Amino acid sequence: MPLDRPDLFFTENTPLHTSSPYSASKASADLLVLAYHRTYGLPVTISRCSNNYGPYHFPEKLIPLMIINALHDKALPVYGDGANVRDWLYVEDHCSAIDLIIRHGRESEVYNVGGHNEKSNLDVVKIILKALGKSEDLITFVKDRPGHDRRYAIDPTKIYSELGWLPQTKFEDGIAKTIEWYLANKDWWQEIISGEYQKYYEKMYGGR
């Protein structure tokens, strides 16, 4: 979605136009599942969610990466100009949506699960820095990744109208709980970021 069209949202009927092999793999998974339903009668439902965040989020991803780097006073690598917008969904809200779809969703239907929390990557990073009392001087802009979409915005009207689901967690509350979790569970992520993860980090950001 273009940044200058905030009125546009992905619905369940929006054609799947992918920008990278990674996104193409996710779109093809949807088509494969629906093909099993049509050909063999496999009972399926499909949910398409916006960007998740919360406890146990792998340190490679934006929010945990920024929290951990900020805690170590390391540079915070932000792709491009940081203006890419994502709709953030707290993980517990996503879990409740999946449970509802599995129990009460219509067979072979697609349900969008959105958080109504659109933020630019740069705004998210600044919120994290402010919460941790760190300087914005830590922000470092790095070369954008290929096929990096500018905006994701999901319309969850269908899951609300059919199943009564709405996200319960505002981003301001969810990010505070997420930061608190990473502060309280350093043993979990410190073990992950040691060893092989350092090689991955250097590969992703070292040459940018």
Side-chain angles (χ1 to χ4, degrees):
M1 294 288 181
L3 293 178
D4 60 353
R5 290 298 305 276
D7 57 311
L8 294 180
F9 295 88
F10 287 105
T11 71
E12 288 79 3
N13 296 318
T14 301
L16 299 177
H17 294 304
T18 61
S19 301
S20 68
Y22 169 62
S23 59
S25 71
K26 293 191 290 184
S28 63
D30 278 17
L31 298 176
L32 185 63
V33 166
L34 290 173
Y36 267 94
H37 170 75
R38 295 187 184 110
T39 303
Y40 301 109
L42 185 70
V44 303
T45 55
I46 290 176
S47 63
R48 295 173 181 159
C49 72
S50 54
N51 282 40
N52 277 211
Y53 70 103
Y56 294 103
H57 204 173
F58 192 73
E60 161 204 4
K61 301 300 182 180
L62 177 71
I63 288 177
L65 176 64
M66 298 302 145
I67 293 172
I68 293 169
N69 276 19
L71 288 173
H72 289 93
D73 293 311
K74 293 176 59 177
L76 275 57
V78 176
Y79 283 127
D81 58 6
N84 304 70
V85 170
R86 297 295 181 263
D87 173 20
W88 293 97
L89 177 66
Y90 191 63
V91 64
E92 291 180 3
D93 287 338
H94 188 197
C95 290
S96 70
I98 292 173
D99 182 68
L100 194 61
I101 292 168
I102 290 173
R103 294 174 185 272
H104 302 291
R106 290 186 289 136
E107 189 174 301
S108 80
E109 288 294 311
V110 177
Y111 294 92
N112 283 350
V113 184
H116 283 309
N117 285 308
E118 284 189 54
K119 304 281 184 188
S120 74
N121 289 347
L122 187 57
D123 285 341
V124 170
V125 173
K126 289 181 177 180
I127 289 170
I128 291 170
L129 287 171
K130 183 177 180 180
L132 294 174
K134 299 291 185 176
S135 171
E136 292 183 6
D137 291 340
L138 291 174
I139 296 173
T140 302
F141 294 98
V142 299
K143 182 180 177 182
D144 208 353
R145 67 189 188 197
H148 195 189
D149 294 314
R150 294 297 275 173
R151 176 174 174 256
Y152 293 157
I154 284 184
D155 180 1
T157 300
K158 181 177 178 179
I159 190 174
Y160 170 68
S161 61
E162 289 193 14
L163 304 178
W165 179 91
L166 280 175
Q168 299 300 306
T169 309
K170 295 180 180 179
F171 185 80
E172 292 73 16
D173 299 328
I175 195 65
K177 290 194 290 186
T178 300
I179 291 171
E180 289 172 6
W181 188 89
Y182 279 90
L183 289 172
N185 293 273
K186 292 181 179 180
D187 288 347
W188 179 81
W189 52 261
Q190 283 176 338
E191 183 175 352
I192 292 174
I193 67 174
S194 62
E196 288 299 313
Y197 176 75
Q198 288 300 322
K199 297 179 183 178
Y200 173 85
Y201 183 89
E202 285 302 318
K203 179 180 179 181
M204 290 298 294
Y205 300 106
R208 294 177 183 268

